[in-house]
Amino acid sequence: MNLFITFEGIDGSGKTTQLKLLHDYLLKRGMPVVVAREPGGTAIGESIRQILLHSGTKELKPLSELLLYYASRYQNFCQNILPALERGQWVLCDRYADASAAYQGYGRGVDLNFIERLNQVVIGQRMPDLTLLIDLDPSLALARARERNQRRAVDEGRFEKESLEFFERVRQGYLNLARQDPQRFRIVSGNLSIEGAHQEILRLLPLQ
Ligand code: ADP
Ligand code: TYD
């Protein structure tokens, strides 16, 4: 059966690196698989991404921020994720609804019940089958993210300006979400080597 797998964790924890490794692995095995990312993944979503991540975006209210993430998510859900799942493809998505609960809910204090209601309306028909949470100390993760962002041409530095306390709240938020839904979540240590984490993820998947 094709699975819908999401990758979560604070910035710099290693999600994108692990998603690419799993994507390559599944492709080599000849499996039908597509990748998606949030915010973004569609023309509208990529425009929303620029607003959300550009360091020049100022005075964005937490609720406006949340709704922009959900606008991007709904486009991604309708245009990419659901059609791929219905075609029988695996979908690997770099962040999804749990990021909104962790960042806008636990991080910024938006009502978690409201976020849960949004989830029911926006993506209620299809939650991920498996969520891989890469857990890492924020000071280590942010050092990695900053180093990576310096090498990038695009300005996606708005979240870099947040404090370590903010990322600690987000990290604890993710761990709470994982405790509340142990069936769906698997926690992978971000302290492992890149190859070590990849092997761990392969062990967690229902692959023959
Ligand atoms: P995320 O998508 O979670 O923000 P990335 O996968 O982009 O994180 O990784 C952030 C940076 O850390 C990249 O430069 C990447 O090469 C590096 N990195 C990823 N995983 C590891 C790891 N296990 N050990 C050391 N460095 C890593
Ligand atoms: P991403 O590009 O995955 O950042 P990184 O590679 O550094 O982990 O995500 C962009 C930023 O958007 C990231 O700081 C987390 C934030 N975010 C939210 O605050 N809420 C959300 O719902 C999503 C999907 C992302």
Side-chain angles (χ1 to χ4, degrees):
M1 193 197 65
N2 58 320
L3 295 184
F4 176 20
I5 303 176
T6 56
F7 288 72
E8 296 284 359
I10 58 173
D11 300 60
S13 54
K15 297 175 299 297
T16 311
T17 304
Q18 291 304 324
L19 183 147
K20 282 186 187 143
L21 286 174
L22 182 59
H23 185 218
D24 289 347
Y25 175 89
L26 294 174
L27 283 178
K28 277 196 196 113
R29 288 179 54 135
M31 300 174 62
V33 54
V34 297
V35 298
R37 73 164 176 179
E38 294 206 353
T42 63
I44 291 169
E46 291 296 326
S47 298
I48 294 174
R49 181 180 177 93
Q50 285 176 21
I51 300 172
L52 283 166
L53 304 192
H54 197 277
S55 61
T57 296
K58 303 253 163 39
E59 295 177 22
L60 186 60
K61 300 283 184 208
L63 199 53
S64 310
E65 184 184 59
L66 176 78
L67 295 171
L68 283 172
Y69 278 111
Y70 271 89
S72 170
R73 181 160 304 134
Y74 191 58
Q75 291 295 135
N76 203 16
F77 181 72
C78 296
Q79 289 180 247
N80 298 330
I81 295 174
L82 203 51
L85 291 171
E86 283 171 353
R87 283 193 300 267
Q89 291 174 300
W90 288 52
V91 176
L92 309 182
C93 193
D94 201 340
R95 295 191 183 281
Y96 201 54
D98 299 305
S100 293
Y103 281 76
Q104 281 66 53
Y106 287 95
R108 302 228 197 271
V110 177
D111 181 10
L112 286 164
N113 290 322
F114 176 62
I115 298 178
E116 185 43 41
R117 274 164 52 209
L118 271 179
N119 281 341
Q120 283 161 16
V121 175
V122 175
I123 55 163
Q125 314 154 54
R126 194 64 166 84
M127 285 298 281
D129 300 301
L130 173 68
T131 296
L132 297 165
L133 170 58
I134 307 189
D135 181 53
L136 185 61
D137 181 86
S139 52
L140 288 173
L142 288 185
R144 285 185 192 171
R146 291 202 172 105
E147 200 266 324
R148 177 203 60 201
N149 290 353
Q150 276 169 6
R151 288 185 266 121
R152 276 185 179 166
V154 283
D155 176 347
E156 292 194 339
R158 191 169 69 92
F159 277 83
E160 259 185 37
K161 296 181 179 156
E162 296 295 340
S163 62
L164 265 186
E165 291 73 37
F166 172 80
F167 286 103
E168 193 51 54
R169 284 201 299 280
V170 174
R171 180 195 197 185
Q172 293 308 326
Y174 269 129
L175 291 170
N176 271 346
L177 294 168
R179 272 193 288 273
Q180 285 160 20
D181 197 350
Q183 290 266 65
R184 173 165 67 86
F185 274 88
R186 294 290 176 273
I187 300 176
V188 178
S189 168
N191 279 318
L192 297 170
S193 67
I194 291 177
E195 184 53 29
H198 176 56
Q199 292 304 324
E200 175 68 14
I201 287 172
L202 292 184
R203 270 194 291 277
L204 293 171
L205 292 186
L207 294 166
Q208 284 83 35

